[in-house]
Amino acid sequence: MKILIAADMEGVTGVVHWDHVTPGHQEYPRFRHLMTGDVNAAIRGAFEAGADEVVVTDGHDDGRNILIEELDPRARLNAGRPSPLAMVQGTDAGVNAVIFVGYHARVGTPHAILEHTWSSRCVAGLWLNGQPMGEIGLNAAVCGHFDVPVVMVSGDECACAEAAELLGSIETAVVKRATGRMAAECLPPEETQAAIYSSAAQAVSCLRAGDAPPPFRPQTPINIAVEFVHSEMADRAMILPSLSRPEGKRIEFVADDAPTAYRLFQAAVSLAGD
Ligand SMILES: [Zn+2]
């Protein structure tokens, strides 16, 4: 049994500000340590419940956040960007299930810590087949393409609720309850890491018992719409062929499958000026 832990940073224990997740800021090193702690708790849970192999993908920013010197030595680490499958790199390599650690709610969610979708500077909204979608759904769809279910998520209360609503009965570990985009009641690491450990163990136990939620497989071909913050961002994204422009700040395209949609979305946002 092989488990992929896909880690982001905004939903890590204690994070409430961009300074906490921005390389170069003086507070960032503390939160790298905390991110590694949350990931280690999920690794311990997965092995405890019978996983044979655990691979971790560092999905935040440039993928250079997790401290490998503090990582559980039984795991391996996908670090650095760009990589072919970005935040879920490795999900196509014989993985049985994915665990999301440190995830956050989609852009526009009220009372959700650092809510955004891929780029807080560029993206004002993302829709997949007409349904509002954030990084949880987008990454889960890429995993689903390879028949891999997402079985657990950790993050703030909103991220966990978003995942449960979209993906079904997955295990969740709430590490903070936000009262605004940049304010939350945070549980200390001793508490959160115990919760992450037991949720991960429970998720992998259910998987072994044949009781995991199904992979998230949106209908194909996939229609993607992106609303940018400013119209010149859409102007730049339109350099990509095969995009349409229904409104000034909005682009749309159709992709054969989720990984293709994922790549086109990243390309559009990158051109837009992320
Ligand atoms: Zn992030």
Side-chain angles (χ1 to χ4, degrees):
M1 172 133 328
K2 181 175 177 180
I3 304 295
L4 175 70
I5 297 176
D8 200 358
M9 199 167 189
E10 289 83 352
V12 159
T13 300
V15 168
V16 295
H17 195 282
W18 296 111
D19 290 352
H20 295 162
V21 300
T22 304
H25 194 278
Q26 62 176 11
E27 290 204 79
Y28 169 74
R30 288 177 52 219
F31 292 91
R32 296 182 77 178
H33 172 73
L34 285 161
M35 180 186 188
T36 310
D38 284 9
V39 166
N40 277 338
I43 296 171
R44 281 197 303 277
F47 276 118
E48 177 65 28
D52 302 300
E53 217 181 326
V54 175
V55 178
V56 178
T57 293
D58 187 335
H60 176 72
D61 196 68
D62 58 4
R64 294 185 294 168
N65 309 283
I66 290 169
L67 298 165
I68 195 165
E69 60 273 35
E70 293 180 12
L71 193 69
D72 189 313
R74 294 171 292 179
R76 278 172 292 135
L77 177 65
N78 290 322
R81 290 276 278 274
S83 55
L85 291 174
M87 294 180 74
V88 287
Q89 175 62 23
T91 193
D92 58 341
V95 162
N96 296 94
V98 175
I99 287 173
F100 287 167
V101 169
Y103 267 57
H104 54 83
R106 68 173 182 258
V107 65
T109 307
H111 301 153
I113 287 296
L114 305 182
E115 44 75 22
H116 69 285
T117 300
W118 208 267
S119 164
S120 57
R121 206 150 49 85
C122 290
V123 177
L126 166 68
W127 292 262
L128 191 157
N129 291 343
Q131 185 181 4
M133 202 63 59
E135 292 175 31
I136 289 170
L138 194 61
N139 287 309
V142 175
C143 298
H145 174 80
F146 299 103
D147 262 328
V148 179
V150 177
V151 294
M152 186 216 139
V153 64
S154 78
D156 74 3
E157 199 170 34
C158 289
C160 291
E162 183 178 317
E165 191 185 332
L166 193 66
L167 306 175
S169 57
I170 70 168
E171 295 295 323
T172 58
V174 173
V175 306
K176 52 199 168 191
R177 290 182 176 85
T179 52
R181 192 182 191 215
M182 294 165 83
E185 179 189 89
C186 300
L187 296 165
E190 214 175 288
E191 293 279 321
T192 58
Q193 290 169 12
I196 292 168
Y197 165 83
S198 47
S199 295
Q202 181 65 26
V204 173
S205 294
C206 287
L207 182 73
R208 280 165 57 97
D211 195 22
F216 179 52
R217 301 203 63 146
Q219 201 175 2
T220 55
I222 290 175
N223 180 281
I224 294 283
V226 183
E227 175 103 0
F228 289 108
V229 172
H230 298 295
S231 63
E232 76 267 22
M233 294 172 173
D235 294 342
R236 286 194 291 263
M238 287 300 291
I239 294 168
L240 271 177
S242 79
L243 264 51
S244 62
R245 180 88 177 264
E247 288 169 42
K249 294 192 281 191
R250 189 179 284 236
I251 58 105
E252 282 187 23
F253 62 84
V254 175
D256 287 342
D257 54 41
T260 309
Y262 193 52
R263 288 165 65 185
L264 275 168
F265 170 70
Q266 289 175 65
V269 175
S270 176
L271 284 168
D274 181 35

